[in-house]
Amino acid sequence: LRRKLFVIVIILVVVSATIYGFMPKAADVDLVDVSRGPLQVTIEEEGRTRLKERFVISAPTAGYMRRIDAKVGDSVRKGQILVTLEPLRSQALDPRSRAEAEATVSAAAASLDAAMEKERAAMADADYLERRLERITNLYAKGSVAKDQFDQAESEAKKARAVQRSAKAAVDVSHAEFERTKTTLQNFTPSGRTEKHTIYVLSPVGGIIFRIYRDSEGAVNAGEPLMDIGDAKNLEVRVEVLSSDAVKIKKGTTVLFKHWGGDGTLTGIVRIVELAGFTKVSSLGVEEQRVLVIADITSPPEIWRALGDGYRLEIHFVVWEGKDILQVPASALFRSGKEWMVFVEDNGKARQRTVEVGQRNGLAAEIISGLKEKEKVIAHPDDSISNGKHIRPRK
């Protein structure tokens, strides 16, 4: 009897274990409520701040710049002297150039001497012909000389005076050439600071120095940039947006600036969406067509006064916004053919249901139909979840 009873117990245990093994097990899932609340659809990009009005101070002419004592971040007022330019220093001559210059000076001196001798000869001829003209004039007055001889003497005297003046002009030219060649041997480097021929570059506006291209003294070329100045409170944000996203952004679109380094989120508004796009290669080597969008910061300057030119921000363009929107987490949605589906919790079982989805962002999706408020859906359905499967909330 005991043996039979033991066998029956063993059989019952095996049958119970087999039945329990074939019983469906409930899957642990994350359940979330279908709720109502605000919903925003944004386009996210990275942007950089920049000055709205940047004034580049450049050298008006080539010269020797004195050292700039100002530092980046210093305030300047309108009309303040920013840069001082002196005349360029003369170049030092190497031995060969100096020898050539000395030979040129000697040649110019010899040319000047020759011109002066020609002037003396022309002056002697002119004096002689003047005295001869006087004698012929007296004889012509007495009738002892023919009219033709008198005219000839007068003409020769005038010609001699013209040759003399020409010789004097040649002397002036030779003298100027001699002085010019002598300057190649002179050193025009001033021994000390001089205000003669000094040029002062003034600030066109009041503001802050944002950049100094060079502060050490030295020669600069005409038009060479020296420093940038502007108003630190007059910043804008420059964003390069994909052209497919740019069509959704309009002038006046609300902008949120996040992860800018300070506390909270800054607000702004789109001022310009440029009409011309440009091609840019991404870090992955993919060519992208992008459009430049300019936004203004509308938050009080006291909050973001630490921002400067070229600072990075995370930009969120709010292209759609609703206040009382029925929504579920975007992770609860999945595709079945062309339709959106969710798994709804129904008395411990998962029920697949078709829903109509409206606006979506990366975290939540608007539900137009198919769900009711306070229903529970599976937040992250995987392949183990099927219609009618037993489920239980994950602890």
Side-chain angles (χ1 to χ4, degrees):
L1 181 61
R2 289 182 179 179
R3 187 175 181 179
K4 290 182 179 180
L5 187 61
F6 179 73
V7 172
I8 292 173
V9 171
I10 294 298
I11 293 173
L12 289 175
V13 170
V14 172
V15 172
S16 298
T18 303
I19 294 174
Y20 179 79
F22 282 99
M23 289 179 63
K25 297 181 179 179
D28 292 333
V29 296
D30 295 319
L31 296 177
V32 294
D33 292 332
V34 180
S35 61
R36 287 187 175 275
L39 180 64
Q40 287 182 342
V41 178
T42 61
I43 296 173
E44 301 178 9
E45 287 287 351
E46 285 189 0
R48 297 288 187 275
T49 60
R50 72 175 184 184
L51 293 172
K52 284 186 179 180
E53 294 181 345
R54 180 189 304 273
F55 295 86
V56 180
I57 308 302
S58 58
T61 184
Y64 191 86
M65 183 185 74
R66 294 181 185 175
R67 180 174 180 83
I68 298 176
D69 296 326
K71 303 298 181 183
V72 174
D74 289 352
S75 298
V76 297
R77 63 184 183 276
K78 184 177 181 180
Q80 179 179 337
I81 298 175
L82 300 178
V83 181
T84 303
L85 295 178
E86 297 176 357
L88 286 172
R89 308 300 200 248
S90 59
Q91 296 182 355
L93 296 178
D94 58 88
R96 179 177 179 178
S97 299
R98 178 169 290 278
E100 292 178 350
E102 290 174 349
T104 303
V105 171
S106 298
S111 178
L112 176 60
D113 292 339
M116 293 175 66
E117 292 300 326
K118 289 182 180 179
E119 182 188 16
R120 292 190 189 98
M123 184 181 298
D125 289 342
D127 290 342
Y128 167 72
L129 292 174
E130 284 288 349
R131 290 193 298 270
R132 181 173 178 271
L133 177 61
E134 289 179 3
R135 290 195 298 270
I136 293 177
T137 301
N138 293 332
L139 294 174
Y140 176 72
K142 297 177 180 179
S144 301
V145 176
K147 179 70 166 60
D148 181 67
Q149 189 176 359
F150 170 75
D151 291 341
Q152 183 179 1
E154 186 179 27
S155 175
E156 289 175 353
K158 291 181 179 179
K159 185 186 298 183
R161 286 302 178 191
V163 172
Q164 179 190 357
R165 289 193 294 270
S166 176
K168 185 179 184 305
V171 170
D172 294 339
V173 171
S174 297
H175 187 271
E177 182 66 18
F178 175 66
E179 294 295 332
R180 185 188 68 81
T181 55
K182 284 200 306 182
T183 59
T184 59
L185 295 174
Q186 296 178 10
N187 182 13
F188 289 94
T189 302
S191 57
R193 296 299 187 189
T194 175
E195 300 304 317
K196 186 177 181 181
H197 307 302
T198 300
I199 299 175
Y200 299 100
V201 182
L202 309 180
S203 174
V205 294
I208 294 177
I209 300 175
F210 277 85
R211 181 179 181 182
I212 297 178
Y213 292 89
R214 55 174 293 182
D215 52 8
S216 298
E217 68 175 17
V220 294
N221 297 319
E224 180 177 340
L226 304 177
M227 67 173 62
D228 294 349
I229 63 174
D231 186 357
K233 296 181 181 180
N234 197 13
L235 292 177
E236 63 186 11
V237 181
R238 179 182 184 274
V239 192
E240 296 176 358
V241 181
L242 289 172
S243 58
S244 56
D245 291 334
V247 297
K248 305 173 186 177
I249 302 173
K250 310 296 181 184
K251 181 179 179 180
T253 297
T254 301
V255 184
L256 303 177
F257 304 103
K258 301 181 179 181
H259 301 111
W260 57 279
D263 297 331
T265 299
L266 302 178
T267 58
I269 190 171
V270 172
R271 189 175 86 251
I272 299 174
V273 180
E274 294 192 353
L275 300 179
F278 57 92
T279 302
K280 185 176 182 179
V281 180
S282 68
S283 58
L284 300 177
V286 180
E287 286 191 356
E288 299 174 339
Q289 202 66 16
R290 290 188 171 265
V291 176
L292 188 62
V293 178
I294 307 298
D296 292 330
I297 304 175
T298 56
S299 297
E302 294 77 16
I303 300 177
W304 49 271
R305 66 175 57 185
L307 285 177
D309 184 40
Y311 282 40
R312 174 192 171 278
L313 304 91
E314 186 177 298
I315 316 299
H316 295 253
F317 296 98
V318 182
V319 296
W320 184 88
E321 187 174 17
K323 294 184 178 180
D324 188 24
I325 305 300
L326 187 67
Q327 56 187 286
V328 296
S331 60
L333 298 171
F334 62 94
R335 282 283 193 179
S336 178
K338 295 182 179 181
E339 296 180 333
W340 287 105
M341 299 286 182
V342 294
F343 281 113
V344 182
E345 188 272 336
D346 183 17
N347 296 323
K349 293 183 179 182
R351 299 298 181 186
Q352 185 172 322
R353 188 180 300 177
T354 302
V355 294
E356 184 180 355
V357 178
Q359 299 290 337
R360 290 181 298 153
N361 58 26
L363 299 176
E366 177 189 15
I367 301 299
I368 297 177
S369 63
L371 289 175
K372 296 180 180 179
E373 188 178 359
K374 295 184 180 180
E375 286 187 302
K376 294 184 179 295
V377 296
I378 299 177
H380 304 280
D382 53 28
D383 295 339
S384 65
I385 308 299
S386 59
N387 192 27
K389 185 175 180 62
H390 288 274
I391 57 175
R392 61 185 178 188
R394 195 189 306 273
K395 295 182 180 179

